[in-house]
Amino acid sequence: AVQRWGCPPDTLPSVDDFLDTWDGHMHRLVSTDLDACKGAKELVANLATLQIPMAIATSSHSKSVQQKRTSHEDMFQRFRAIVSTDNPAVVNGKPAPDIYLHAASLLNVDPSRCVVVEDGIPGVKAGKAAGCFVVAVPDPRFEPQERQTLFEGHADVVLDNLTQFQWHDIIQKMKERQQNRREAENGEGKKTFVD
């Protein structure tokens, strides 16, 4: 900022001050009466009924998470852990895997047995880097071409919204992925070419 815009160095806010100001602006811009993603409430309720352990791993700061929680306490109470980007265990933010690895450890679940539901590319990359099965639900503002280019081929599954999430289909695809990994590790399916 000093070089680019000529700001005097003594007028620049600290990182914490900047983030507090940012959070304040976001709070004023976004009502606490936020709508949940289409199908989210039903999916969370169904997974809770199946006793599937769930966590939130978000790039939002804890203050923002608390603001969102006020509108969706019924959903939030079903999560065993909530990990925000300002959690001390999250050294590197998305697309690094830290946040998902920490969330999995809080659930006491191996990351390879975790399903990550993400709406952004950094989160998809973070989930994959953690070794999780990634379901992308791109923001509906993405154009079809952007969606295909950005998400398909990176996520394990891409859905239009959470009403399309079918737990049994996801489990089957996870089993297929694990089988493919085992075969690759054992050398099955590899071709050897001889001159």
Side-chain angles (χ1 to χ4, degrees), residues 53-58 69 76-84 102-108:
M54 295 177 285
I56 294 174
T58 177
R69 185 177 187 139
F76 274 75
Q77 69 183 355
R78 297 175 188 266
F79 291 94
R80 290 189 190 171
I82 298 174
V83 183
S84 56
H102 185 58
S105 73
L106 292 174
L107 295 176
N108 198 29

Side-chain angles (χ1 to χ4, degrees), residues 8-195:
D10 58 337
T11 64
L12 297 176
S14 69
V15 172
D16 288 337
D17 289 342
F18 174 81
L19 292 173
D20 285 344
T21 302
W22 175 266
D23 284 340
H25 288 303
M26 292 307 292
H27 180 65
R28 284 188 292 281
L29 290 172
V30 181
S31 160
T32 55
D33 190 25
L34 299 171
D35 291 332
C37 297
K38 184 177 180 180
K41 288 183 180 187
E42 296 83 3
L43 176 61
V44 169
N46 289 338
L47 295 177
T49 299
L50 294 171
Q51 298 182 346
I52 305 293
M54 295 177 285
I56 294 174
T58 177
S59 292
S60 296
H61 284 62
S62 52
K63 269 187 191 177
S64 296
V65 173
Q66 288 306 316
Q67 292 166 354
K68 293 171 188 171
R69 185 177 187 139
T70 60
S71 295
H72 303 291
E73 183 60 36
D74 55 324
M75 264 197 315
F76 274 75
Q77 69 183 355
R78 297 175 188 266
F79 291 94
R80 290 189 190 171
I82 298 174
V83 183
S84 56
T85 196
D86 53 350
N87 184 301
V90 181
V91 177
N92 300 295
K94 298 174 185 179
D98 302 27
I99 200 162
Y100 288 119
L101 294 173
H102 185 58
S105 73
L106 292 174
L107 295 176
N108 198 29
V109 176
D110 186 275
S112 67
R113 297 180 50 88
C114 290
V115 176
V116 166
V117 177
E118 260 296 342
D119 64 349
I121 290 299
V124 169
K125 289 179 178 180
K128 293 300 286 181
C132 303
F133 187 90
V134 178
V135 176
V137 185
D139 187 300
R141 293 174 289 190
F142 280 107
E143 295 292 329
Q145 183 60 34
E146 290 174 312
R147 173 195 159 98
Q148 184 176 10
T149 303
L150 295 174
F151 292 93
E152 294 176 11
H154 297 285
D156 295 293
V157 174
V158 181
L159 305 175
D160 292 326
N161 60 65
L162 292 173
T163 64
Q164 296 175 332
F165 189 103
Q166 298 297 317
W167 183 247
H168 298 292
D169 293 344
I170 299 298
I171 295 296
Q172 183 58 40
K173 289 180 183 192
M174 287 178 76
K175 287 179 181 177
E176 290 169 9
R177 184 183 78 163
Q178 288 173 343
Q179 179 63 32
N180 290 340
R181 283 184 178 171
R182 276 194 294 274
E183 289 174 1
E185 288 171 4
N186 294 332
E188 296 175 25
K190 290 185 178 177
K191 303 272 188 228
T192 304
F193 296 95
V194 181
D195 291 318

